[in-house]
């Protein structure tokens, strides 16, 4: 299901409009005014009788600060808990209604605080809303997943009741392509959208009808399996500063978080396949020997290209190099390769043709319907002319190709600037040296730092090796930040070397020291 199926309008609050909340420091009066706005909207909680309507209103209020970032601490603590304090101080029926909702929908800390404050208001005689006792009676029912044949997207449908009544369904869209867009370790896709409907039977009938086609399947999950699928996907979404979620996702976030918690634990996701170097090489060899690869003219370039395709599938698609889809191929050609990989001119020329042959070969091996193979091939050819525009060979910026190839023996295009910063003297009489070779690297560093002691040269080499590997990422981030601030390179290199030597055996301490250096400057 892409988006909301026809006839199913997401159920949610109709009139809540919370003023945009920025978590940067503001005068106390202004923050208090924003919280008063929220309590004003919370009065709608007194007019509804359905616990589902009430939960969705509270979820939208809590979503007012979803995705906001602050350097002063956890946003849930700074804003969410401050709102609870404000509601408790007001002591109105709307305040109690909001606290009752947060006691179920909030984070563990928010929930504990809200419950304690709500009980105090009840003891003081504040009237409790009629739905309040029902929100804790949620029961998980049957769960399903709708999957497209490409493996791009899972739409998970989880049904619930309040102690057997008011059946409703939560639909969660998990995107299995976007998770690989971020260079962070992840074992799942990410949640991109969520919505709720009370028309459960119509929804399920729609899903079954849609699954009658050859490019979609609809299967039942146990509630524990649904939780095992959704929990890591939601965690990945929440960990990203700019996750590409729908415009309405913030309103449903707290509701979604609580409903995932309501599913029983114990389910397990199928483990991602592990592809060793030998297994990857065997896969590449079988492809190159296949009939789909017969028309590839430059087998040497094709071999290097297919290695990149397999690497992308193993590292960015959760161990699924054989999975092909229009979206995956477009992201590979137009996003990952231009950002990450250095290609020689023959490889640039060959890559779209190798990818098209791989689509045909992998599609046959995985049983992708012929219609799906055709659509994927169309996407590859549509992206081919854009690939020439998106991929920028470093040589076009005036860099010597031999120098680039020495700095990028592994093809890691993102490493070029930090390696050039670490080892800038690869010209003239030093042009024949290999910076990836330890003895040649020491000679380069001796030329850059004449008169340095052996201990100092060892420190500079440790720094160069860390920059070469990008370990930790904070090292190059700090160097870039200070260069942007006008720092002189030789002074910056010396300061970074001292930090690396001091904290070489404690990676966390090194990262803390680098963050302090970014904040304080040279």
């Amino acid at each position: 299901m892409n988006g909301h199926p026809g006839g199913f309008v997401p159920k949610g609050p109709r009139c809540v409009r919370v003023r945009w909340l920025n978590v940067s420091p503001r005068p106390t009066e202004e923050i208090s005014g924003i919280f008063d706005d929220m309590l004003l909207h919370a009065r709608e909680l007194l007019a509804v009788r359905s616990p589902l309507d009430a939960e969705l209103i509270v979820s939208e209020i809590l979503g007012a600060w979803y995705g906001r970032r602050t350097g002063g601490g956890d946003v849930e603590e700074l804003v969410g808990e401050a709102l609870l304090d404000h509601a408790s101080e007001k002591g109105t029926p709307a305040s109690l209604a909001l606290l009752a909702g947060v006691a179920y929908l909030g984070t563990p800390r928010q929930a504990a605080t809200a419950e304690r404050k709500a009980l105090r208001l009840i003891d003081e005689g504040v009237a409790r809303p009629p739905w309040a006792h029902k929100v804790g009676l949620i029961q998980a029912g049957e769960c399903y997943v709708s999957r497209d044949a490409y493996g791009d997207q899972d739409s998970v449908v989880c049904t619930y009741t309040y102690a057997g009544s008011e059946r409703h369904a939560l639909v969660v869209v998990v995107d299995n392509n976007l998770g690989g867009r971020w260079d962070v370790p992840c074992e799942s896709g990410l949640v991109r959208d969520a919505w709720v409907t009370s028309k459960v039977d119509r929804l399920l009938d729609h899903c079954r009808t849609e699954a009658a086609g050859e490019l979609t399947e609809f299967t039942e999950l146990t509630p524990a399996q649904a939780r095992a699928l959704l929990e890591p996907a939601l965690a990945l979404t929440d960990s990203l500063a700019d996750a590409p979620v729908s415009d309405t996702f913030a309103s449903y976030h707290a509701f979604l978080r609580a409903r995932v918690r309501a599913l029983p634990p114990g389910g397990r996701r199928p483990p991602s396949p592990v592809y060793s170097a030998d297994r990857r090489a065997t896969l590449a060899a079988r492809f190159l020997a296949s009939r789909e690869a017969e028309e590839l003219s430059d087998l040497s370039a094709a071999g290097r290209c297919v290695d990149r395709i397999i690497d992308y599938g193993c590292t960015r698609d959760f161990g699924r190099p054989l999975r092909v889809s229009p979206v995956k191929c477009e992201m590979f050609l137009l996003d990952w390769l231009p950002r990450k990989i250095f290609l020689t001119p023959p490889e640039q020329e060959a890559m779209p043709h190798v990818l098209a042959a791989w689509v045909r070969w992998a599609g046959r091996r995985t049983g992708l319907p012929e219609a799906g193979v055709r659509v994927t091939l169309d996407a590859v050819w549509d992206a081919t002319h854009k690939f020439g525009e998106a991929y920028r060979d470093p040589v076009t910026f005036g860099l010597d190709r031999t120098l680039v190839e020495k700095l990028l023996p592994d093809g890691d295009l993102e490493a070029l600037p930090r390696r050039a910063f670490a080892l800038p003297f690869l010209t003239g009489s030093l042009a024949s040296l290999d910076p990836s070779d330890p003895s040649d690297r020491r000679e380069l560093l001796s030329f850059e730092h004449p008169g340095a002691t052996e201990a100092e040269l060892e420190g500079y080499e440790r720094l160069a090796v860390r920059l070469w590997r990008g370990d930790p990422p904070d090292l190059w981030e700090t160097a870039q930040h200070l260069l942007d601030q006008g720092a002189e390179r030789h002074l910056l290199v010396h300061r970074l070397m001292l930090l690396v030597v001091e904290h070489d055996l404690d990676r966390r301490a090194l990262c803390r020291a680098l963050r302090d250096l970014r904040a304080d400057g040279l």
Side-chain angles (χ1 to χ4, degrees):
M1 291 180 294
N2 295 307
H4 309 135
F8 296 97
V9 178
K11 187 176 181 66
R14 292 160 295 178
C15 303
V16 177
R17 292 292 181 270
V18 179
R19 182 160 27 128
W20 177 70
L21 179 63
N22 187 338
V23 295
S24 58
R26 289 185 173 203
T28 302
E29 296 80 5
E30 188 174 358
I31 291 291
S32 179
I34 293 173
F35 288 163
D36 283 338
D37 284 352
M38 293 180 175
L39 288 180
L40 180 64
H41 293 303
R43 291 182 182 179
E44 292 190 25
L45 294 168
L46 304 178
V48 301
R49 294 190 174 275
S50 166
L52 179 59
D53 287 338
E55 285 190 81
L56 291 171
I57 291 173
V58 173
S59 182
E60 184 162 348
I61 292 174
L62 293 178
W65 57 86
Y66 174 79
R68 307 295 182 192
R69 294 294 184 267
T70 175
D74 182 78
V75 70
E76 296 281 9
E77 179 180 351
L78 291 176
V79 181
E81 295 176 25
L83 172 61
L84 301 182
D85 290 339
H86 187 82
S88 179
E89 291 172 3
K90 293 295 182 179
T92 64
S95 299
L96 177 56
L98 178 60
L99 292 170
V102 176
Y104 181 72
L105 295 181
T107 65
R109 279 186 57 166
Q110 286 177 349
T113 300
E115 183 176 14
R116 184 175 66 254
K117 293 179 180 297
L119 290 174
R120 183 179 64 80
L121 293 183
I122 292 173
D123 289 342
E124 292 175 359
V126 178
R128 186 170 60 168
W131 49 262
H133 70 286
K134 295 183 180 180
V135 292
L137 302 178
I138 194 69
Q139 294 177 345
E142 66 271 25
C143 298
Y144 307 86
V145 61
S146 176
R147 288 191 170 105
D148 61 66
Y150 305 112
D152 282 335
Q153 181 174 285
D154 297 333
S155 294
V156 183
V157 180
C158 300
T159 64
Y160 302 87
T161 64
Y162 293 95
S165 64
E166 296 197 54
R167 188 176 181 225
H168 55 280
L170 170 69
V171 182
V172 187
V173 178
V174 178
D175 195 308
N176 296 317
N177 285 306
L178 292 174
R181 171 63 176 80
W182 280 264
D183 297 322
V184 295
C186 55
E187 295 295 331
S188 74
L190 58 82
V191 174
R192 184 166 56 85
D193 199 4
W195 52 280
V196 179
T197 181
S198 57
K199 301 174 182 178
V200 180
D201 291 332
R202 287 181 58 190
L203 170 66
L204 297 179
D205 287 343
H206 174 89
C207 294
R208 294 185 181 104
T209 300
E210 192 178 51
E214 61 177 347
L215 293 180
T216 306
E217 65 175 12
F218 185 64
T219 57
E220 189 167 2
L221 299 173
T222 67
Q225 288 173 328
R227 178 168 180 165
L229 194 157
L230 292 175
E231 205 162 36
L234 181 59
L236 176 61
T237 301
D238 290 346
S239 71
L240 300 173
D242 55 349
V245 295
S246 69
D247 293 339
T248 60
F249 179 77
S251 298
Y252 291 98
H253 177 258
F255 184 91
L256 167 60
R257 180 178 58 196
R259 285 300 188 270
V260 171
R261 287 198 304 252
L263 296 170
R268 293 188 178 182
R269 286 175 50 86
S272 298
V274 177
Y275 278 79
S276 64
D278 287 344
R279 189 179 179 188
R280 296 187 192 194
T282 300
L283 194 63
R286 288 177 177 170
F287 164 71
L288 292 172
S290 69
R291 65 175 183 266
E292 287 84 359
E294 286 178 351
E295 296 183 3
L296 298 176
S297 56
D298 187 342
L299 288 182
S300 176
R304 295 190 295 273
C305 289
V306 76
D307 286 343
R308 299 301 186 187
I309 294 170
I310 293 172
D311 181 54
Y312 180 76
C314 291
T315 60
R316 292 289 179 254
D317 194 26
F318 324 118
R320 300 182 296 176
L322 291 172
R323 187 182 79 84
V324 293
S325 80
V327 176
K328 180 180 177 180
C329 289
E330 288 174 358
M331 292 185 68
F332 173 73
L333 279 178
L334 303 181
D335 177 70
W336 190 70
L337 283 176
R339 285 191 303 112
K340 294 288 292 182
I341 302 301
F342 170 62
L343 299 174
T344 64
E347 291 165 2
Q348 295 173 42
E349 178 69 25
M351 182 61 78
H353 303 282
V354 176
L355 181 58
W358 178 267
V359 167
R360 291 191 291 269
W361 182 75
R364 174 167 58 86
R365 286 175 62 93
T366 59
L368 181 65
E370 185 60 32
V373 173
R374 288 197 302 270
V375 173
T376 304
L377 287 173
D378 287 343
V380 172
W381 298 128
D382 287 344
T384 296
H385 74 281
K386 298 177 185 177
F387 175 65
E389 300 172 0
Y391 187 84
R392 286 288 179 263
D393 190 328
V395 175
T396 63
F397 299 117
L399 298 175
D400 180 73
R401 179 168 296 279
T402 301
L403 171 63
V404 172
E405 290 175 349
K406 284 186 176 183
L407 290 172
L408 303 178
D410 53 359
D412 185 358
L413 190 57
E414 285 188 331
L416 182 59
R418 70 171 187 268
R419 291 176 182 176
F421 170 80
L423 299 163
F425 298 99
L426 273 171
T427 57
S429 61
L430 303 177
S432 61
L433 298 179
D434 180 1
S436 63
D437 180 81
S439 59
D440 284 2
R441 183 168 58 240
R442 177 59 73 97
E443 187 174 345
L444 286 167
L445 292 170
S446 298
F447 176 83
E448 181 182 358
H449 305 285
T453 65
E454 280 299 313
E456 288 173 332
L457 281 176
E458 182 180 348
Y460 286 123
E461 186 167 10
R462 290 183 191 179
L463 172 63
V465 169
R466 284 190 175 275
L467 284 168
W468 184 275
R469 297 174 179 170
D471 177 33
D474 301 71
L475 188 58
W476 178 232
E477 290 174 10
T478 300
Q480 287 179 294
H481 175 77
L482 294 176
L483 287 171
D484 290 342
Q485 299 299 313
E488 295 185 17
R489 180 187 172 279
H490 71 283
L491 295 176
L492 176 56
V493 167
H494 184 72
R495 183 64 181 275
L496 293 174
M497 180 271 287
L498 294 177
L499 290 182
V500 166
V501 170
E502 182 179 359
H503 303 291
D504 200 26
L505 300 179
D506 189 339
R507 193 173 187 275
R508 290 186 178 180
L510 175 58
C511 291
R512 287 196 299 270
L514 290 168
R515 286 194 292 270
D516 291 342
L517 181 59
R518 285 202 298 272
D520 300 337
L522 289 180

